Amino acid sequence: MLSPHRPPPLLRVWPIRLPSILQLSPSSRLPRTPSSASPSRAYSKPKGNLYPTRYRGYSTFPIPSMSLPLARELTAPNGVKYIQPLGLFINNVFVKSSSGDTISVINPTNEEEITSVYAGNAADIDLAVAAARAAFDSPEWSEITPQDRGGLLFKLADLVESNAKILATIDTWDNGKPYKVCLEEDLGESVSVLRYYAGWADKIYGRTIDVGPQKLAYTLHQPIGVCGQIIPWNYPMMAAWKLGPALATGNTVILKSAEQCPLSALYLAQLVKDAGFPPGVVNIITGYGKTAGAAMTSHPGIDKIAFTGSTATGRHIMKAASADLKNITLETGGKSPLIVFEDADLEQAVKWSHIGIMSNMGQVCSATSRILVHEKVYDAFVEAFKIQIQKVSKIGDPFAEDTFQGPQVSKVQFDQIMGYINSGISEGATIAIGGTRHTETGYFISPTAFINVTDEMRICREEIFGPVVTISSFKTDAEALRRANDTTYGLGAAIFTENITKAHRIAAKIQAGMVWINSSNDSHFGIPFGGVKQSGIGRELGEYALTAYTNAKAIHVNLGTKL
């Protein structure tokens, strides 16, 4: 039988010469340049000259002259100046894309271009895979101690923390989310996630299994190999969710950022290098899903795909990954219910319901976008919910201190949300509040609540991914449970009741990967995150995420059985 970690002779790859690099700083270490790579999955030799030329302190492949540099100084609307990398990060250097294609990055607040970045394609993915495979096979990464792996993650966490204001500025600028949220929530959590998995690096144990005195049996938990990771645009610093467990367990990574918001991932790439990770361990590619993303998910040199995004895209990824049975983790869409029972603390239910759907401009996969309220408290809830929106959902400049809601991420997303609002109106639902564009410039949408809805309406069944919620009433617990589960999704759910017995009973029967009782979407990096049904496969965060990046190997030692 052929080893799963070595391709059959006829499928072995051509020797691949990895590009040498020009040091970005005196302390930078040059990578070893192996004469060949030994991927566990066969793939074709990249075409063309792989030897780089030098350009402004970075390496780049010999392609036709282009005006876009590999980095430039930018000044954000809040006055922060910084150097923004624009190239693909492969083998610890920033390089131009092989095609020279670029992506225009738009500020959703004013619809103006911030900059362009290079857009990778299949040829660039080939190079990143070669670098990641060489790093995975290199003793510089594969033979360092778990404590040293954890130490590198701790260093990266420290660098993210010290650069938090720049990273928060970047995400506010190209994503539109409020700066305060980026800094205090997103970046704070990213640092915590990296430190959490840094602490796990030397605590990944196998076990011994007693099957009798004639055999010693034990297991090893080993890294999967080269991991392709695709992060979403709604939380660009979710890169930490992906990198943390993958690196703690000894894998190497090719991470693709979302084309709408690629800037913070490229800035993070420089921090990865500064932290001391060996070349090729982390590669970060900017590019379109239909090109770079598709190349990743079908690449035979990639052992695992981890994806966060829409269910529709998740289906395509699952199909592409099935060609060679890649290990996959998918965290996809949701249409999460929030149930308010008659005995709930109504004030708290209103406040949490508002956070559960309106935070991050409604662009949250687990947003509790279907609110079911007991008929006896329904009218009171609707009125209080409208007041909460008017009181809290201040729309405006995301850099302003008092802004709660910034713009939607892009015109495509803006148009999709407005399309759903128009669909709700045409199907007979009533707008209780909102339903309009907020300003003529920028992708701002007024927070919207629909009443007089039925479960068959598109706004009740499909993921809108915006500040739009439906509120309907129910009579009995059984009806609430049935309607909560009447969806193809199963990511999250929330329950509001003072009856603890009812809370646990309903939580156990709701078909979702996560259930909040008397809160909504207050996740924690130590608790697993993921869904059931068409909301995904596998779990992220917590100890559970480590199993997604390791293979359990059983070792059998014969202690006396003779034939």
Side-chain angles (χ1 to χ4, degrees):
M1 180 181 291
L2 293 170
S3 167
H5 296 288
R6 186 171 177 82
L10 293 179
L11 295 180
R12 289 178 189 164
V13 300
W14 288 88
I16 295 175
R17 185 71 176 269
L18 294 177
S20 60
I21 68 168
L22 180 65
Q23 296 184 32
L24 299 183
S25 66
S27 61
S28 301
R29 293 180 296 172
L30 287 170
R32 297 183 310 106
T33 309
S35 59
S36 65
S38 302
S40 63
R41 300 172 185 264
Y43 55 97
S44 301
K45 176 185 178 182
K47 297 178 180 179
N49 183 5
L50 299 185
Y51 295 94
T53 56
R54 293 179 177 180
Y55 183 88
R56 297 190 182 183
Y58 296 79
S59 299
T60 180
F61 298 101
I63 54 180
S65 176
M66 291 168 289
S67 60
L68 185 67
L70 286 166
R72 62 163 44 124
E73 183 179 81
L74 297 178
T75 302
N78 62 349
V80 171
K81 292 184 178 182
Y82 72 101
I83 301 300
Q84 174 64 57
L86 305 175
L88 314 179
F89 185 71
I90 301 175
N91 211 42
N92 266 17
V93 290
F94 291 97
V95 299
K96 294 182 179 181
S97 59
S98 58
S99 66
D101 292 342
T102 61
I103 296 172
S104 179
V105 183
I106 302 300
N107 177 356
T109 300
N110 58 18
E111 305 179 43
E112 296 177 0
E113 182 182 90
I114 299 171
T115 185
S116 292
V117 298
Y118 283 100
N121 60 19
D124 302 301
I125 296 298
D126 281 342
L127 294 170
V129 171
R133 180 62 60 188
F136 184 74
D137 292 339
S138 169
E140 190 175 5
W141 177 245
S142 64
E143 295 183 9
I144 68 171
T145 67
Q147 291 83 1
D148 287 341
R149 282 203 308 270
L152 290 171
L153 278 169
F154 275 123
K155 289 179 183 177
L156 180 58
D158 291 344
L159 287 169
V160 170
E161 186 173 51
S162 63
N163 286 269
K165 291 183 178 179
I166 293 176
L167 288 164
T169 293
I170 294 171
D171 280 354
T172 298
W173 198 3
D174 73 356
N175 179 282
K177 62 174 60 188
Y179 175 77
K180 186 176 182 180
V181 172
C182 289
L183 183 63
E184 297 179 3
E185 297 179 21
D186 293 10
L187 268 300
E189 182 185 74
S190 296
V191 171
S192 296
V193 167
L194 291 172
R195 287 177 177 156
Y196 177 82
Y197 286 111
W200 267 110
D202 61 355
K203 301 172 186 67
I204 300 167
Y205 309 128
R207 62 179 63 180
T208 58
I209 303 168
D210 187 357
V211 294
Q214 298 301 308
K215 176 179 284 194
L216 169 64
Y218 63 94
T219 60
L220 301 175
H221 291 179
Q222 297 181 314
I224 289 174
V226 175
C227 301
Q229 301 181 321
I230 302 174
I231 57 175
W233 50 256
N234 58 326
Y235 287 98
M237 283 306 295
M238 190 178 280
W241 286 32
K242 299 284 193 287
L243 293 176
L247 297 176
T249 49
N251 297 277
T252 57
V253 170
I254 302 155
L255 184 142
K256 193 195 89 66
S257 60
E259 57 260 37
Q260 298 89 344
C261 306
L263 300 182
S264 60
L266 291 176
Y267 192 88
L268 178 65
Q270 182 61 53
L271 302 184
V272 168
K273 179 180 173 64
D274 294 343
F277 282 90
V281 172
V282 177
N283 306 273
I284 296 180
I285 304 294
T286 49
Y288 292 102
K290 62 185 178 182
T291 51
M296 281 181 62
T297 56
S298 61
H299 201 295
I302 292 178
D303 304 302
K304 176 186 176 62
I305 292 292
F307 167 78
T308 298
S310 72
T311 296
T313 303
R315 291 192 191 102
H316 289 295
I317 289 173
M318 193 171 183
K319 183 177 181 180
S322 69
D324 54 355
L325 297 182
K326 283 180 175 51
N327 182 307
I328 60 171
T329 301
L330 303 177
E331 193 270 283
T332 53
K335 194 69 177 175
S336 301
L338 183 150
I339 307 173
V340 180
F341 288 101
E342 181 183 2
D343 66 335
D345 181 327
L346 204 61
E347 180 182 0
Q348 287 299 304
V350 166
K351 289 180 177 180
W352 280 107
S353 298
H354 175 265
I355 290 292
I357 178 57
M358 298 302 173
S359 61
N360 206 48
M361 292 72 73
Q363 299 168 156
V364 181
C365 54
S366 57
T368 39
S369 56
R370 292 186 296 140
I371 301 178
L372 307 173
V373 185
H374 193 277
E375 62 181 3
K376 290 186 177 179
V377 294
Y378 177 79
D379 290 340
F381 178 93
V382 170
E383 290 306 310
F385 190 83
K386 289 162 57 179
I387 292 171
Q388 185 72 5
I389 288 177
Q390 294 165 343
K391 177 181 176 182
V392 177
S393 289
K394 183 180 186 304
I395 307 173
D397 176 8
F399 283 104
E401 179 71 19
D402 59 347
T403 293
F404 177 87
Q405 181 179 321
Q408 309 307 133
V409 71
S410 67
K411 187 178 188 305
V412 170
Q413 189 64 18
F414 173 89
D415 289 343
Q416 176 175 298
I417 295 166
M418 292 304 299
Y420 274 111
I421 291 173
N422 292 332
S423 171
I425 295 171
S426 66
E427 288 188 309
T430 302
I431 293 178
I433 190 170
T436 60
R437 179 171 191 159
H438 184 68
T439 60
E440 288 303 316
T441 301
Y443 308 127
F444 296 90
I445 295 177
S446 298
T448 301
F450 278 101
I451 57 175
N452 297 325
V453 297
T454 63
D455 293 345
E456 294 75 28
M457 293 179 178
R458 288 182 64 209
I459 56 174
C460 292
R461 303 208 68 81
E462 299 178 17
E463 184 178 41
I464 299 173
F465 222 64
V468 180
V469 66
T470 61
I471 311 175
S472 59
S473 64
F474 67 88
K475 295 180 180 294
T476 66
D477 294 1
E479 178 194 349
L481 181 61
R482 175 184 57 78
R483 292 173 59 196
N485 288 335
D486 182 20
T487 174
T488 59
Y489 297 106
L491 189 52
I495 300 166
F496 284 84
T497 177
E498 296 295 287
N499 185 327
I500 196 65
T501 300
K502 178 188 291 186
H504 286 293
R505 177 173 55 81
I506 297 294
K509 293 184 177 181
I510 284 185
Q511 297 165 4
M514 304 170 288
V515 179
W516 292 276
I517 297 176
N518 293 329
S519 68
S520 177
N521 279 276
D522 54 334
S523 300
H524 186 276
F525 55 83
I527 302 172
F529 189 101
V532 300
K533 297 195 282 190
Q534 293 188 35
S535 288
I537 298 171
R539 294 293 179 269
E540 296 191 293
L541 297 181
E543 182 181 358
Y544 286 80
L546 299 170
T547 63
Y549 289 95
T550 57
N551 287 323
K553 177 184 287 183
I555 309 294
H556 302 252
V557 182
N558 188 342
L559 298 180
T561 300
K562 303 293 184 181
L563 298 179

